[in-house]
Amino acid sequence: MTTSNAGADNWRPYEDEPVLTPAMTDGHRATPPAEMSRLRAYLEAVVDDRRGGPVHTAVAFNAAYFGYELGGEGYGNGAFDIDTFPGLALGDETPALPVGALVRIETGSDPLYAEIVYKEGCRPSVLDGGDIPAWTSGAPADATGPGMRQQTAGPLRRELLVPDLTVFGPGLQLPDTKLKRFRTRQKWLNKDGHVVVDARYASATEAALDGPAAFVRHLLTCQRESVLSPLVPVSVVQLAGSSGQERLEEALAGLLDTVEYAMRTSDVLRRWGHYVLARTRIGAGLCHDGPLGEADLYALTGSLERSAAPTARRRHGLRGARTTYTAIGPWLRALNGAEPLLTGVEYAVSACRANLAVADYLRGDTDNGLRSGSGVRITLDDAFEGGGIWRSHHPGADEADGSDPLVPAGRGWLDSVNPAGATAADVTGRTAEPEQEAEAPIADQAVPEEPIGAHNYLRITDSEICWQVPLRLAHLMEDRLPLNPRVSYGLRRLGTGTRPVRLELSHPGGALDASEEVQEVTLELTEETCLLRGVQWPIDFFPGLRIYVQWPRGGTVFRLSTAELENPVDIDGQLIGHQYDPQVLTRDGVPGSSRDSDSGSGLGTRRLVLRAVRRLGLLTPDGHALLDRSALPAGVYASAPAPQQVTELEEAVAELVDQRHLYVAVGSRGADGQPHHPAREGEAPIPLIGYAPNPVVQPRPGTGGRGPVQAMGSEHFVHGFLRRLPAGSTPTDAQRAAYRQHCRRVGKADGWELPRGYTFVTAHSRRR
């Protein structure tokens, strides 16, 4: 098979070798670089051919699979029975369709054949503009009001679909004059050339599917005849080596993953969600002075900040908290002179450009979405409704929790369901879920039920869910791993019960057996649980080790990895070389706990005291544990201690404090009997006994036992960083490319652009 890139940007589907290959059915990690490079070159040309984008992952798959010919022919020579395309009619109820669906728009005479290239939610309450009702942001498909949902089996949601009417070549295109009449009459298309429908979903589970997962289902149902046609450049049956339903689903999911990766890693494309646009198209839009130029997009970001910022003066009372929601679609439509940029496919381009402008503003001019000057925090709250809904909140500092401001949080809907609010944190910094029972007295806390080591979301996109979770002792002892609750929704299509899935494990800097790198484990999915069983954990995995998990949506593969520390640390004699959760390490790594046992029997008094403080004390975020001093005897001994035991206990505490394994502190007890630290004003003070992990940095391997290389005159490594340029200077193309590559390495897959006035200094070594 040809692997050269020559001619890939002008691929001829029925003359040249296919751009999709068998290796791609297993995802981008299994795809050879040469094949990936050839696919990428073709997709870049597709984006350019389609007026600079946006091109969704599903649309890019269609191009590569069904043979989109550049230069105007499109799918004109494709293997389609166009009469089997699902029909659409403006304002009608229709089965929900994903982006990438090939459709027939009814007109009463000559139908319009098109590809759906973009869609968004368009609840009337959002399209009306003005103040966006908070509950609509992040609301599920069947939501009807604040905290209210439809009482029907199949959710119904109003959606705006953007069709591309040019993709089937000149032979199936209607004259522009006739299309203009359709838009003017607003009978078959609305005034912008779009189709608004009431989309009916089979179930709430189907409505919650992301773009690629919904598209795979569509391919194997509504579009199955076209997908399995032997007239396509290369059939998925050939690529997958099987016609079995399960293998076809896996292969299509793998192909979509590969296509998405090819576009995500392109230097000439930028990504918003599952849509990509040409960087040249974005740049050209910013350079003109007309509607949606740089001035308008700057005004958009400013309006998001001003909408929640407090006024300079108020006549009565103190300034209260303020939250506003801004939908991109209505904002665009209210912009004077923007009408030509909101018709046809141009609307999709404008919506993506506007969202990217806000994202760039947050990345470059705010700290985790928080604007220091105004105290307003801006976050993406809903990526689908109204073209994207952004949330502005003041004071933003009380929400600066480290979460990614560009991951849709759905706070509008969540707050409408639980008006009392989000989670409550106690003095230890632990976060309890809403509706969790009040915390028990320190000596009676049930350790296994503690909400420590909870799933920490890293990235949620239409193609994958990635998160991190620390291993608990129970996970290691029972050979299991609980999965992120959001994964369970995506897996519902497989049905409940158990089924085999694949687990791929990487442990950089550690040793793995071949049997541990790739494992067949059991997925257990019920109404209450979603976890993997039968996991073969490596021998050096310990309680508290951070596990990074990636699940490509729609697939049956889970990828787990660990991350090395820059320098190992020693904690109580345990050498730790990988990232860990200090709370879990304190709690589950107590003396007497191991993968073979969890018993305090046979431990000396000193170790029993340490065990009691670490297991029963209140936790701080950095792993300290603070225990009410009066609760210590009950935590060490099962019954009331004898006088001799009391003496031994006091001696053990004194020794541990003297050796700095424990320390003394002062807290207070509230009227409800709960201890607090720091002590609260007006509460009775109480003595506390605390445990401190005290990590000690160890020499990095290869430094000859001298520890981190920082001595005068020694060579040390410098990570890449931004540097302000002198006035009038500009970065080179090489520096721009290096910065995009740097962003990809740190997990920002679309590769950010250099902020204006800065250059990028690449990683290097130097002496000092």
Side-chain angles (χ1 to χ4, degrees):
M1 178 173 292
T2 301
T3 57
S4 171
N5 288 345
D9 56 352
N10 192 24
W11 177 55
R12 295 164 297 181
Y14 297 98
E15 299 178 38
D16 301 330
E17 293 286 346
V19 291
L20 298 179
T21 66
M24 295 177 183
T25 62
D26 290 325
H28 73 270
R29 286 182 173 82
T31 303
E35 294 180 8
M36 181 67 73
S37 180
R38 184 168 181 264
L39 173 64
R40 184 184 296 112
Y42 167 67
L43 295 177
E44 290 171 350
V46 169
V47 174
D48 184 65
D49 189 72
R50 298 179 74 143
R51 294 161 289 171
V55 172
H56 188 276
T57 300
V59 173
F61 168 85
N62 282 345
Y65 187 80
F66 293 114
Y68 181 91
E69 296 185 63
L70 307 175
E73 286 299 323
Y75 300 121
N77 296 319
F80 298 114
D81 181 354
I82 58 178
D83 292 329
T84 64
F85 291 175
L88 290 178
L90 183 67
D92 280 5
E93 179 180 322
T94 182
L97 294 170
V99 176
L102 305 175
V103 299
R104 184 183 71 255
I105 301 173
E106 307 296 350
T107 64
S109 55
D110 298 322
L112 299 173
Y113 297 98
E115 181 179 36
I116 302 302
V117 296
Y118 175 91
K119 79 171 185 174
E120 66 182 38
C122 59
R123 300 179 192 273
S125 55
V126 173
L127 290 181
D128 289 342
D131 293 332
I132 304 300
W135 69 268
T136 60
S137 185
D142 56 357
T144 58
M148 298 182 292
R149 307 181 72 164
Q150 301 167 15
Q151 301 301 312
T152 57
L156 189 68
R157 176 170 63 191
R158 177 150 290 198
E159 297 178 349
L160 180 145
L161 308 178
V162 175
D164 188 339
L165 304 173
T166 68
V167 295
F168 290 100
L172 291 178
Q173 286 182 237
L174 296 184
D176 289 342
T177 53
K178 194 167 187 177
L179 292 175
K180 187 175 181 179
R181 286 201 304 271
F182 286 160
R183 293 203 305 267
T184 301
R185 295 175 61 189
Q186 297 190 53
K187 186 174 182 181
W188 316 114
L189 301 170
N190 71 6
K191 64 181 181 63
D192 296 322
H194 306 150
V195 183
V196 177
V197 297
D198 290 319
R200 175 72 70 179
Y201 290 85
S203 65
T205 300
E206 181 183 277
L209 289 177
D210 74 297
F215 184 60
V216 168
R217 174 174 291 187
H218 174 78
L219 289 175
L220 292 176
T221 53
C222 298
Q223 211 165 306
R224 188 181 185 91
E225 181 179 336
S226 298
V227 169
L228 299 184
S229 170
L231 301 178
V232 297
V234 59
S235 169
V236 67
V237 175
Q238 296 171 269
L239 295 172
S242 170
S243 60
Q245 180 73 7
E246 182 176 343
R247 176 55 184 148
L248 290 180
E249 289 184 12
E250 292 178 349
L252 289 171
L255 291 170
L256 283 163
D257 172 73
T258 304
V259 166
E260 187 275 334
Y261 181 82
M263 296 194 298
R264 172 161 54 91
T265 53
S266 168
D267 286 334
V268 301
L269 305 177
R270 282 207 65 190
R271 182 170 177 247
W272 174 251
H274 276 293
Y275 300 94
V276 297
L277 298 92
R279 292 180 183 273
T280 54
R281 182 70 186 277
I282 298 172
L286 292 174
C287 289
H288 74 83
D289 297 329
L292 282 179
E294 184 177 25
D296 280 343
L297 294 181
Y298 182 80
L300 167 61
T301 59
S303 69
L304 295 178
E305 182 178 354
R306 291 191 300 272
S307 65
T311 56
R313 306 173 70 178
R314 286 189 60 173
R315 178 174 296 181
H316 302 291
L318 299 174
R319 297 188 181 101
R322 177 171 172 78
T323 303
T324 60
Y325 294 84
T326 302
I328 292 297
W331 188 91
L332 293 172
R333 295 183 182 95
L335 195 63
N336 289 333
E339 291 83 0
L341 298 177
L342 304 180
T343 59
V345 177
E346 286 298 313
Y347 172 75
V349 176
S350 299
C352 290
R353 283 185 57 228
N355 279 299
L356 278 171
V358 179
D360 287 344
Y361 166 74
L362 296 185
R363 289 163 173 160
D365 294 343
T366 71
D367 180 8
N368 198 41
L370 179 63
R371 178 74 169 181
S372 59
S374 64
V376 174
R377 187 169 190 246
I378 303 170
T379 58
L380 178 64
D381 207 58
D382 189 323
F384 178 74
E385 191 67 42
I389 297 180
W390 294 86
R391 179 179 185 270
S392 306
H393 177 78
H394 182 276
D398 60 7
E399 292 186 351
D401 54 2
S403 59
D404 189 341
L406 300 181
V407 171
R411 287 286 297 271
W413 171 255
L414 294 177
D415 288 346
S416 77
V417 175
N418 180 25
T423 62
D426 62 20
V427 295
T428 69
R430 290 181 297 163
T431 301
E433 295 296 328
E435 304 183 356
Q436 182 176 330
E437 295 182 0
E439 186 178 2
I442 292 180
D444 298 327
Q445 290 182 31
V447 175
E449 302 302 323
E450 284 186 307
I452 63 173
H455 297 279
N456 182 8
Y457 299 129
L458 293 180
R459 184 173 65 253
I460 303 174
T461 70
D462 284 348
S463 63
E464 64 183 11
I465 297 179
C466 301
W467 71 98
Q468 61 181 15
V469 59
L471 279 180
R472 300 300 303 265
L473 178 63
H475 304 160
L476 290 165
M477 295 177 65
E478 299 172 10
D479 300 328
R480 63 180 175 88
L481 179 70
L483 299 177
N484 189 298
R486 299 199 182 193
V487 172
S488 64
Y489 297 111
L491 291 169
R492 294 296 176 191
R493 66 177 182 83
L494 302 177
T496 57
T498 60
R499 62 176 290 137
V501 295
R502 189 171 70 191
L503 182 149
E504 299 176 357
L505 179 62
S506 63
H507 185 43
L512 289 181
D513 292 337
S515 61
E516 295 168 341
E517 292 181 350
V518 179
Q519 306 177 33
E520 183 176 289
V521 299
T522 300
L523 169 66
E524 182 178 303
L525 183 63
T526 69
E527 293 298 326
E528 296 79 24
T529 62
C530 182
L531 53 85
L532 301 179
R533 290 198 182 277
V535 180
Q536 185 180 346
W537 297 115
I539 191 64
D540 62 341
F541 277 28
F542 58 91
L545 176 67
R546 286 197 178 277
I547 301 294
Y548 295 81
V549 190
Q550 178 196 32
W551 175 63
R553 292 181 186 261
T556 56
V557 177
F558 294 86
R559 300 185 177 101
L560 279 58
S561 63
T562 61
E564 285 189 277
L565 293 172
E566 183 175 353
N567 292 295
V569 295
D570 183 286
I571 300 179
D572 297 331
Q574 180 181 1
L575 185 64
I576 297 175
H578 292 78
Q579 293 181 9
Y580 65 96
D581 184 297
Q583 290 185 319
V584 175
L585 186 67
T586 291
R587 197 62 103 204
D588 286 7
V590 298
S593 296
S594 70
R595 295 174 63 171
D596 303 315
S597 66
D598 186 24
S599 170
S601 61
L603 296 179
T605 305
R606 283 168 48 99
R607 300 185 71 192
L608 286 173
V609 169
L610 276 172
R611 178 184 173 88
V613 174
R614 290 173 62 172
R615 285 183 65 90
L616 303 176
L618 295 172
L619 286 174
T620 65
D622 57 357
H624 287 232
L626 291 157
L627 179 64
D628 182 349
R629 184 64 177 80
S630 64
L632 182 59
V636 173
Y637 302 108
S639 57
Q644 178 61 30
Q645 290 177 316
V646 172
T647 301
E648 293 175 354
L649 181 65
E650 295 299 331
E651 291 176 351
V653 170
E655 291 177 6
L656 290 168
V657 170
D658 184 61
Q659 297 171 6
R660 298 186 179 181
H661 294 296
L662 295 178
Y663 62 94
V664 294
V666 177
S668 64
R669 191 183 306 281
D672 57 357
Q674 295 297 311
H676 302 115
H677 183 271
R680 296 182 179 179
E681 186 177 353
E683 294 183 351
I686 59 172
L688 302 175
I689 188 74
Y691 163 78
N694 296 326
V696 178
V697 177
Q698 298 298 299
R700 184 194 309 165
T703 62
R706 294 187 298 271
V709 182
Q710 296 177 348
M712 181 65 70
S714 62
E715 187 176 59
H716 71 287
F717 179 76
V718 179
H719 290 282
F721 61 93
L722 288 174
R723 173 179 286 166
R724 188 183 298 276
L725 286 168
S729 299
T730 58
T732 66
D733 290 342
Q735 290 165 324
R736 297 180 191 275
Y739 183 64
R740 289 195 292 269
Q741 183 63 30
H742 166 75
C743 292
R744 285 196 286 269
R745 283 197 299 269
V746 299
K748 304 303 181 185
D750 62 347
W752 297 345
E753 290 296 295
L754 271 171
R756 180 177 297 177
Y758 289 84
T759 188
F760 180 69
V761 181
T762 57
H764 59 280
S765 296
R766 70 181 180 193
R767 292 184 177 274
R768 62 179 182 186

